Amino acid sequence: MKKLFATTARGFEELLKTELLELGAQECQIAQGGVHYLADEETLYRTLLWSRLSSRILLPLVQSKIYSDLDLYSTVIGQNWLDIFDERCQFVVDFNGTNREIRHTQFGAMRVKDGIVDYFERQGRARPSVDKDNPDIRIHAYLNRDDFILSLDLSGNALHLRGYREDTGAAPLRETLAAAIVLRSGWQQGTPLIDPMCGSGTLLIEAAQMEAKIAPQLHRLHWGFDFWKGHNPQAWEKVKEEAITLAQQGSQQAQPHFYGFDLDHRVLQKAQRNAQNAGVAHLIQWKQGDIATLKNPTEEKGTLICNPPYGERLGTTPALIALYSVFGQRLKQQFGGWNASVFSGEPALLDCLRLRSHRQFKAKNGPLDCVQKNYQIAETAQQESAVQNLQEFCPQHQGVAQDFANRLQKNIKKIEKWAKQQGINAYRLYDADLPEYNIAVDRYVDHIVVQEYAAPKNIDENKARQRLLDAVTATLAVTGVETNKLVLKVRQKQKGTNQYEKLANKGDYFYVEEYGAKLWVNLTDYLDTGLFLDHRLTRKMVGEMAKDKDFLNLFAYTGSATVHAALAGAKSTTTVDMSNTYLNWAEQNLMLNDIEGKQHKLIQSDCLQWLEKCDRQFDLIFVDPPTFSNSKRMENSWDVQRDHLQLFTHLKRILRSNGTIVFSNNKQKFKMDFDGMAALGLSAVEISAKTLPLDFERNKHIHNCWLVTLTK
């Protein structure tokens, strides 16, 4: 009997112990990261060939205390390595762990290597060479404080490398993790198994191999014991022949009731090749399909298993909330009476399924803490009609976020008719109408943006998150938007230049239409989209005022007001902003509307510094400064309340005698200094109410707007 140690990912030790006992192992004892066990020669080979959960199987050679690098070297050189392998073999050392003396794993590995080759030299033998890529022998060294274990790795390459995967999709599961997920899912062999977002097919392939009784390492060509002097070829061949016979019988007896779906046909092609390599292609049916239209392909009851995409935090991929919401709906509609098991790195996303789990397990996927939840789907014919009622908004149905859903539906009926008449296709549908759902919902053509306003500190974070998830679920149902066209943003109170914060780099631009103007928007890369919807009427008014005039757009952002002015026949336009990003965006907006010529100038500069040096005059000036800014590119900070008189001092100098300044800002409690304005010889008339569009009428203070002229 040999003492062995099978390593596994943390959290799977108990599962591995059960597997090893079933394979004939004895005296199994759980340790952190693995299981110690005893095995005769045939059982040793059987565990290597059949373990689906082990990462490696090690044969401990020596255990000792290590207090210095000399202790380490002495322990290694004191072993009889000629009993393990001969000098013609190439080897490598894997070293894990450190202590106060052995501080680097590379140093530890080097000292172990030195001890081995020096041993052979002392025996009058040639020094064996090191091969890190394809070694004949792999030595595993583990140091935990002063405890040192030196082992022979009988696996060779890690056991999760089954050999059937040619290529994978994004974020593939390790085969060992996939096997654990299958074993924990509650799936019973002989019953159907479905993966609706199968990616490269690892979950289904592992399960199909289990049912077909195919040993996971049956086709492995190289083992860590190939050049081990203790290797028993007869025992190995016996175990392997048994596995070949079982695989032949199992493949014929297994049923083709494994089903894989994925939206990406290219990933499905990889999954098909992987299944072919694994010997289970005849058992799995692959089909391209969206989760939103998932249908149960079989009348038998079975298990649905899934590792859907997830971000490390909410908001990294906003469509995930919609994806999980739709997934939960399809489970209820199509899989009544089934078991479902979902593995995710974001427990809050699992809440979007709107299902109550009866079991759950914790696990690691690389560095990520993940959870696997098992569900029993209620067998009822009313689920589908319930979802339909949510979409049609039957008043009697009390569904997810029903108050919010009803209000959103009411707003849509009112606003979308008005928007069509106005000739606009970007507008607000909901703006914190209900205090429980403190969000904004905007439509940009066929996209929906859900913005969450930061919740007050006295609101429980988990409750606020759950309300957000509920609101997204209802928004999806009410608007009918495609899952990949719903964007979620968490909007904090803006400070400084937060409005220019870069969030991503997807480059997904498309244009919207507004009173005949075309304007580029980007819903994902920045906190803002490139278009302030509440300024729509202000831009329209600026355009109507701009005909045959020299127009200045200061703090221009993406230049949308410039587009309106130019289309209306402005004699010239000057667009000034400090951000190169947004000035380039403004240039693209002009090009989109076929606006070109030397009369249209784009200037990258600090607007306040540019104003001080400006020697031109303008008939019409639109200025919409930030509420506050302390950008490093500015000489001084800016506060619109504190500094607006200084701004108007410069604006007056460049305004023609019959000219007009359209001044706007979004500071809710802004107060115009009328006395100061009068002293400057300026008159200000507030037109905030006139520039507030229908879709923002609930928020009277979203911006304030003024017409400023010279006192006659």
Side-chain angles (χ1 to χ4, degrees):
M1 301 289 282
K2 295 188 182 298
K3 292 183 178 180
L4 301 162
F5 183 68
T7 68
T8 192
R10 291 187 181 181
F12 295 143
E13 293 93 345
E14 190 66 49
L15 207 59
L16 174 58
K17 177 183 176 181
T18 300
E19 179 187 64
L20 291 172
L21 287 170
E22 291 174 351
L23 292 171
Q26 298 179 31
E27 297 186 25
C28 294
Q29 294 183 340
I30 290 176
Q32 190 176 40
V35 177
H36 296 280
Y37 68 101
L38 294 179
D40 59 25
E41 287 187 325
E42 288 187 13
T43 303
L44 180 155
Y45 292 120
R46 194 169 288 113
T47 55
L48 280 161
L49 192 61
W50 282 94
S51 178
R52 302 183 189 278
L53 302 172
S54 298
S55 300
R56 297 184 180 277
I57 293 183
L58 308 176
L59 175 67
L61 302 174
V62 63
Q63 184 170 355
S64 64
K65 293 287 186 179
I66 299 295
Y67 302 104
S68 67
D69 67 314
L70 182 59
D71 290 340
L72 176 62
Y73 178 81
S74 298
T75 298
V76 175
I77 201 171
Q79 300 310 302
N80 189 355
W81 291 103
L82 278 169
D83 285 349
I84 307 299
F85 65 97
D86 65 37
E87 68 272 23
R88 292 170 297 179
C89 295
Q90 296 176 319
F91 75 102
V92 71
V93 177
D94 294 327
F95 196 100
N96 292 293
T98 58
N99 66 10
R100 280 181 290 184
E101 296 297 324
I102 313 297
R103 298 181 181 180
H104 302 285
T105 56
Q106 288 184 340
F107 174 72
M110 181 189 70
R111 294 301 282 154
V112 173
K113 181 266 295 180
D114 291 344
I116 293 173
V117 297
D118 288 352
Y119 165 85
F120 278 93
E121 277 198 330
R122 288 186 181 185
Q123 300 301 315
R125 303 296 184 98
R127 293 167 61 95
S129 60
V130 173
D131 186 341
K132 294 182 179 180
D133 297 323
N134 297 293
D136 301 320
I137 293 290
R138 187 178 291 271
I139 302 300
H140 186 277
Y142 175 70
L143 180 63
N144 180 23
R145 296 182 180 176
D146 300 327
D147 294 321
F148 177 67
I149 302 175
L150 194 65
S151 305
L152 173 66
D153 186 346
L154 299 175
S155 316
N157 287 329
L159 293 175
H160 79 271
L161 299 171
R162 314 285 207 230
Y164 61 74
R165 286 209 301 207
E166 292 182 358
D167 201 356
T168 61
L173 287 175
R174 279 194 171 188
E175 292 86 336
T176 44
L177 175 57
I181 292 172
V182 171
L183 292 170
R184 283 178 166 176
S185 69
W187 170 66
Q188 298 295 316
Q189 293 186 24
T191 64
L193 186 68
I194 294 174
D195 186 346
M197 289 176 268
C198 65
S200 56
T202 310
L203 286 169
L204 291 173
I205 291 170
E206 289 294 317
Q209 282 199 332
M210 291 178 193
E211 183 162 319
K213 295 181 175 55
I214 298 175
Q217 307 298 337
L218 184 59
H219 301 294
R220 177 176 283 236
L221 298 177
H222 303 290
W223 289 92
F225 57 72
D226 287 338
F227 293 87
W228 170 43
K229 288 188 175 180
H231 174 42
N232 184 334
Q234 291 77 26
W236 166 240
E237 287 302 323
K238 179 182 177 183
V239 170
K240 190 172 181 180
E241 286 299 324
E242 289 175 354
I244 292 172
T245 301
L246 275 174
Q248 292 171 344
Q249 295 172 350
S251 293
Q252 294 175 357
Q253 295 170 358
Q255 297 299 309
H257 49 209
F258 298 87
Y259 304 88
F261 299 84
D262 202 276
L263 192 58
D264 190 339
H265 69 91
R266 294 165 298 183
V267 173
L268 280 179
Q269 290 174 353
K270 296 174 184 177
Q272 289 173 321
R273 291 196 295 270
N274 291 340
Q276 188 73 42
N277 295 337
V280 293
H282 62 296
L283 301 177
I284 308 175
Q285 302 178 42
W286 310 98
K287 186 176 181 180
Q288 184 179 1
D290 189 348
I291 194 71
T293 57
L294 176 67
K295 292 184 179 180
N296 193 335
T298 177
E299 294 181 359
E300 295 181 70
K301 295 291 191 293
T303 301
L304 185 143
I305 194 168
C306 193
N307 172 39
Y310 47 84
E312 293 188 30
R313 58 183 175 86
L314 279 179
T316 52
T317 45
L320 289 178
I321 290 179
L323 174 69
Y324 278 69
S325 300
V326 169
F327 182 29
Q329 292 176 7
R330 298 309 291 180
L331 286 174
K332 296 170 188 176
Q333 293 172 23
Q334 292 289 320
F335 295 92
W338 277 55
N339 295 317
S341 186
V342 186
F343 182 88
S344 177
E346 179 51 76
L349 286 173
L350 293 179
D351 293 340
C352 296
L353 297 175
R354 311 299 299 180
L355 294 168
R356 180 173 296 177
S357 65
H358 64 90
R359 290 199 72 182
Q360 69 177 47
F361 308 91
K362 293 182 179 179
K364 283 271 194 180
N365 185 11
L368 289 180
D369 290 316
C370 298
V371 64
Q372 180 178 357
K373 291 191 176 185
N374 292 353
Y375 307 89
Q376 292 175 339
I377 312 300
E379 189 165 7
T380 170
Q382 297 176 354
Q383 295 288 358
E384 187 166 2
S385 62
V387 176
Q388 290 173 349
N389 285 343
L390 177 61
Q391 293 173 331
E392 297 169 5
F393 286 95
C394 171
Q396 290 77 23
H397 174 63
Q398 296 299 313
V400 177
Q402 190 63 37
D403 290 345
F404 166 79
N406 287 335
R407 177 60 65 91
L408 180 60
Q409 177 72 357
K410 179 181 177 182
N411 291 356
I412 287 175
K413 289 181 179 178
K414 174 183 177 183
I415 293 172
E416 292 199 339
K417 181 179 179 181
W418 163 82
K420 188 175 182 180
Q421 293 171 344
Q422 293 285 308
I424 59 177
N425 57 10
Y427 42 86
R428 179 148 294 182
L429 293 172
Y430 174 94
D431 195 2
D433 297 31
L434 305 174
E436 295 87 357
Y437 299 97
N438 192 27
I439 65 172
V441 180
D442 296 327
R443 178 180 287 282
Y444 289 83
V445 195
D446 58 348
H447 288 67
I448 293 291
V449 177
V450 176
Q451 300 179 33
E452 181 196 30
Y453 296 118
K457 292 183 179 179
N458 62 336
I459 299 296
D460 180 71
E461 183 179 344
N462 292 329
K463 184 178 291 186
R465 173 178 286 192
Q466 189 59 57
R467 284 176 177 170
L468 172 64
L469 302 182
D470 291 347
V472 170
T473 301
T475 300
L476 184 75
V478 173
T479 63
V481 67
E482 296 177 27
T483 58
N484 62 342
K485 292 184 177 180
L486 186 142
V487 177
L488 171 69
K489 295 185 177 183
V490 178
R491 178 177 290 274
Q492 305 290 343
K493 289 184 178 179
Q494 291 185 5
K495 294 181 181 179
T497 56
N498 280 355
Q499 64 266 36
Y500 299 127
E501 182 184 353
K502 194 77 187 286
L503 301 179
N505 194 28
K506 294 182 179 180
D508 293 336
Y509 290 82
F510 62 93
Y511 69 83
V512 301
E513 296 183 6
E514 178 182 278
Y515 303 122
K518 298 176 182 177
L519 303 166
W520 290 111
V521 294
N522 182 315
L523 308 185
T524 56
D525 289 4
Y526 303 89
L527 195 58
D528 287 312
T529 65
L531 187 65
F532 296 127
L533 299 180
D534 61 297
H535 277 307
R536 190 187 309 111
L537 288 181
T538 309
R539 290 189 289 270
K540 183 173 182 286
M541 179 187 70
V542 165
E544 293 168 348
M545 297 170 66
K547 185 173 175 57
D548 298 325
K549 294 181 179 177
D550 291 316
F551 171 69
L552 170 64
N553 187 359
L554 207 57
F555 302 98
Y557 191 38
T558 59
S560 51
T562 303
V563 171
H564 279 274
L567 289 176
K571 182 195 291 187
S572 72
T573 67
T574 301
T575 304
V576 186
D577 198 274
M578 186 166 58
S579 166
N580 265 323
T581 297
Y582 291 101
L583 206 65
N584 291 335
W585 199 326
E587 182 179 20
Q588 295 300 315
N589 275 334
L590 293 174
M591 292 171 60
L592 179 64
N593 290 274
D594 298 322
I595 299 167
E596 56 186 4
K598 294 181 179 180
Q599 70 273 30
H600 302 295
K601 299 184 185 303
L602 296 163
I603 300 172
Q604 189 273 318
S605 178
D606 177 335
C607 293
L608 298 176
Q609 293 179 28
W610 180 86
L611 263 180
E612 292 177 0
K613 300 175 182 178
C614 179
D615 56 3
R616 288 189 57 194
Q617 286 197 315
F618 299 89
D619 303 299
L620 178 63
I621 301 173
F622 176 55
V623 54
D624 179 34
T627 298
F628 177 83
S629 180
N630 58 358
S631 170
K632 293 179 181 178
R633 290 178 289 178
M634 296 176 63
E635 289 187 354
N636 302 301
S637 67
W638 160 265
D639 183 294
V640 70
Q641 183 65 66
R642 181 192 69 198
D643 300 324
H644 71 279
L645 283 184
Q646 179 188 352
L647 173 66
F648 278 105
T649 300
H650 294 297
L651 291 175
K652 177 189 175 183
R653 181 174 53 82
I654 65 172
L655 183 68
R656 291 195 175 116
S657 58
N658 61 344
T660 303
I661 300 169
V662 180
F663 171 67
S664 177
N665 68 78
N666 66 345
K667 183 176 177 62
Q668 290 193 2
K669 296 182 180 180
F670 175 80
K671 294 186 182 300
M672 181 69 76
D673 186 344
F674 290 105
D675 292 339
M677 294 289 282
L680 289 174
L682 295 171
S683 171
V685 178
E686 185 171 4
I687 57 169
S688 302
K690 294 180 181 179
T691 59
L692 195 67
L694 173 70
D695 48 334
F696 287 88
E697 63 182 9
R698 288 197 71 261
N699 192 347
K700 305 294 185 185
H701 305 292
I702 193 167
H703 73 250
N704 57 85
C705 193
W706 308 77
L707 290 181
V708 179
T709 55
L710 295 169
T711 305
K712 300 298 183 184

